[in-house]
Amino acid sequence: MQARNTGGPGGRGLPRRTLLLTAVAGVMTAGVPLPSAAPAAAATTTSANGWPLATTGIATLPVPGTAARVSLLEGDVSTVLVHVIRRFHYEVQEVARHELAGHRPAAGLTGHTTNYASGTAVEIRPAAYPQAAAGVLFPPQLAVVRDILKECGAVVAWGGDLRRPHAAHFQIAVRPGDPRLRGLARRITGWTRAPGQGAGVFTVGA
């Protein structure tokens, strides 16, 4: 026989089990916070190389010596990457009008490709050099790419050196404010202003 609470008027009341369950529920509601859903992960605000994702400061620039244009972060970044494109065009393979891909929205980008969303990376002839394709450059072409990287010091990195190669990809490899970027951009600007220097200039016997 179920026990009843006889403390109420007339000895009639709620069953003891009902009272206990009601009390426990009251404690849980009033005194013990219920688990809450985990907070959503913060949206990424920088690309893989540490640069802010850009919606301003992007310019679509001509590449001298070609019919191509490319969207990049304006300033030292674009000075360096346009120089890389020009050397590639003159010394590795000609770049046609629609064979450059630069800045684009971050949606869907992962890993090194997020650098396009900060305007700090470019694809040169991506259809000819798709991701994961190895051996797409002949040895003399590869030697020129190595020379471009050497000229740029540690400021520029090449996707062909990734574990999953991406030979079309070149990016700024230093973070914002690194003095090496400013120094390289100034040297390139000096070369473009001086006769007989810069991309597209060949020295006999070099």
Side-chain angles (χ1 to χ4, degrees), residues 120-135:
T120 59
V122 63
E123 284 182 294
I124 304 175
R125 307 189 73 236
Y129 313 128
Q131 289 194 53

Side-chain angles (χ1 to χ4, degrees), residues 73-81 172 181-183 185-186 188:
L73 184 64
E74 198 167 19
D76 293 338
V77 167
S78 60
T79 297
V80 169
L81 291 179
I172 297 299
L181 174 60
R182 172 57 56 86
R186 286 178 173 173
I188 291 170

Side-chain angles (χ1 to χ4, degrees), residues 132-156:
V136 293
L137 297 177
F138 292 109
Q141 295 174 315
L142 181 58
V144 172
V145 170
R146 293 294 177 203
D147 188 65
I148 293 170
L149 297 174
K150 180 180 178 181
E151 179 183 67
C152 294
V155 174
V156 173

Side-chain angles (χ1 to χ4, degrees), residues 33-46:
L34 297 176
S36 58
T44 301
T45 58
T46 59

Side-chain angles (χ1 to χ4, degrees), residues 64-163:
T66 79
R69 300 173 69 85
V70 63
S71 296
L72 297 167
L73 184 64
E74 198 167 19
D76 293 338
V77 167
S78 60
T79 297
V80 169
L81 291 179
V82 167
H83 174 75
V84 170
I85 297 166
R86 293 184 68 202
R87 281 206 59 185
F88 193 100
H89 170 75
Y90 289 127
E91 302 175 52
V92 179
Q93 185 70 47
E94 289 188 3
V95 177
R97 182 183 299 275
H98 301 297
E99 289 189 317
L100 296 176
H103 179 263
R104 67 202 73 167
L109 301 180
T110 60
H112 71 280
T113 66
T114 62
N115 299 324
Y116 303 129
S118 61
T120 59
V122 63
E123 284 182 294
I124 304 175
R125 307 189 73 236
Y129 313 128
Q131 289 194 53
V136 293
L137 297 177
F138 292 109
Q141 295 174 315
L142 181 58
V144 172
V145 170
R146 293 294 177 203
D147 188 65
I148 293 170
L149 297 174
K150 180 180 178 181
E151 179 183 67
C152 294
V155 174
V156 173
W158 177 47
D161 290 327
L162 296 170
R163 180 174 298 178

